[in-house]
């Protein structure tokens, strides 16, 4: 049984995106100043341009360090909250006490390989996993679920084999889970 989590709305503007934009602008200014220093009409300002590019290079390094720090500190934060449970059985899927029989599932797709406690630049919370259930009536359910070292998809090989044999779980998705790689 896996805990499910609520989805968090993606922000259109973040500090990380702002820092990337600043780095791009800085690089464009550096290239522009270096190009201008090559033209003869700017020969008298050549030293100023080259000194400015050195300063802008230092600014670029500072922005890069801030972006790295932003990633390490804030990337591991996730504001989603537990909302229920999901369990994969040989004859169906149980989502918060609602049973979806295997006959009603057209396709099952498992995305991610995020295990709680693994180090990925930050200590993972294990909730970057997604289960997409496509039912025969066209309904698509997307669930975000948590994997822990004691509760992994890989531990349910036999159940996933049944889903694969019945054609509900694609061959590539099944093989990636068995190889314990990122499954997409």
């Amino acid at each position: 049984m896996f805990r499910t989590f609520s989805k968090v709305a993606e922000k259109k503007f973040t500090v990380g995106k702002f820092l990337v934009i600043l780095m791009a602008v800085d690089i464009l200014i550096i290239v522009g100043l270096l190009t201008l220093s090559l033209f003869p009409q700017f020969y008298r300002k050549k030293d100023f341009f080259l000194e400015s590019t050195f300063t802008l290079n230092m600014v670029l390094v500072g922005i890069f360090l801030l972006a790295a720090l932003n990633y390490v500190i804030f990337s591991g934060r996730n504001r989603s909250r537990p909302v229920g449970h999901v369990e994969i059985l040989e004859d169906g899927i149980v989502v918060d006490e609602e049973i979806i029989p295997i006959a009603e599932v057209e396709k099952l797709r498992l995305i991610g390989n995020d295990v709680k406690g693994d180090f990925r630049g930050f200590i993972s919370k294990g909730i970057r996993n997604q289960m997409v259930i496509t039912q025969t009536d066209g309904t698509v359910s997307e669930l975000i679920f948590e994997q822990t070292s004691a509760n992994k998809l890989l531990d349910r090989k036999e159940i996933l084999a049944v889903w694969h044999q019945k054609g509900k779980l694609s061959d590539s998705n099944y093989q990636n889970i068995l190889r314990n790689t990122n499954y997409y």
Side-chain angles (χ1 to χ4, degrees):
M1 183 174 293
F2 301 100
R3 290 192 316 166
T4 58
F5 287 80
S6 62
K7 287 188 178 184
V8 177
E10 290 288 322
K11 295 180 182 176
K12 293 184 181 186
F13 186 78
T14 62
V15 174
K17 289 178 185 175
F18 177 70
L19 291 173
V20 169
I21 291 169
L22 270 180
M23 281 193 281
V25 168
D26 195 356
I27 290 170
L28 289 175
I29 292 172
I30 290 170
V31 170
L33 287 173
L34 288 174
T35 305
L36 283 177
S37 69
L38 297 174
F39 292 114
Q41 60 264 37
F42 297 111
Y43 182 73
R44 291 184 182 174
K45 295 191 178 215
K46 182 178 180 180
D47 289 337
F48 171 73
F49 289 155
L50 295 177
E51 289 171 5
S52 297
T53 58
F54 178 76
T55 304
L56 288 171
N57 281 329
M58 293 300 108
V59 169
L60 183 62
V61 168
I63 294 171
F64 179 76
L65 290 174
L66 284 174
L69 191 64
N70 176 57
Y71 175 77
V72 169
I73 293 174
F74 296 113
S75 185
R77 295 177 109 193
N78 197 328
R79 293 173 186 85
S80 59
R81 302 282 176 242
V83 292
H85 290 86
V86 64
E87 187 171 4
I88 302 173
L89 305 172
E90 289 182 7
D91 60 342
I93 299 174
V94 179
V95 180
D96 297 331
E97 305 198 19
E98 175 192 344
I99 299 172
I100 304 171
I102 196 167
E104 291 181 16
V105 176
E106 182 179 325
K107 181 177 155 188
L108 176 66
R109 185 167 172 225
L110 300 164
I111 302 171
N113 183 18
D114 189 25
V115 179
K116 187 175 187 174
D118 283 1
F119 184 76
R120 299 167 191 254
F122 54 88
I123 301 297
S124 173
K125 292 190 177 182
I127 58 174
R128 290 185 175 167
N129 304 296
Q130 187 177 17
M131 181 184 297
V132 182
I133 305 166
T134 307
Q135 296 181 18
T136 53
D137 64 359
T139 307
V140 177
S141 304
E142 295 182 12
L143 305 167
I144 296 172
F145 66 96
E146 175 188 51
Q147 288 191 72
T148 63
S149 55
N151 189 20
K152 293 189 276 193
L153 275 175
L154 192 56
D155 298 339
R156 290 165 176 73
K157 285 189 261 194
E158 299 81 20
I159 294 172
L160 294 174
V162 171
W163 283 81
H164 177 253
Q165 288 167 357
K166 293 191 177 188
K168 308 295 182 177
L169 185 63
S170 73
D171 188 49
S172 63
N173 202 201
Y174 178 66
Q175 293 300 325
N176 285 336
I177 293 169
L178 293 181
R179 287 187 209 116
N180 202 23
T181 59
N182 286 337
Y183 16 97
Y184 291 98

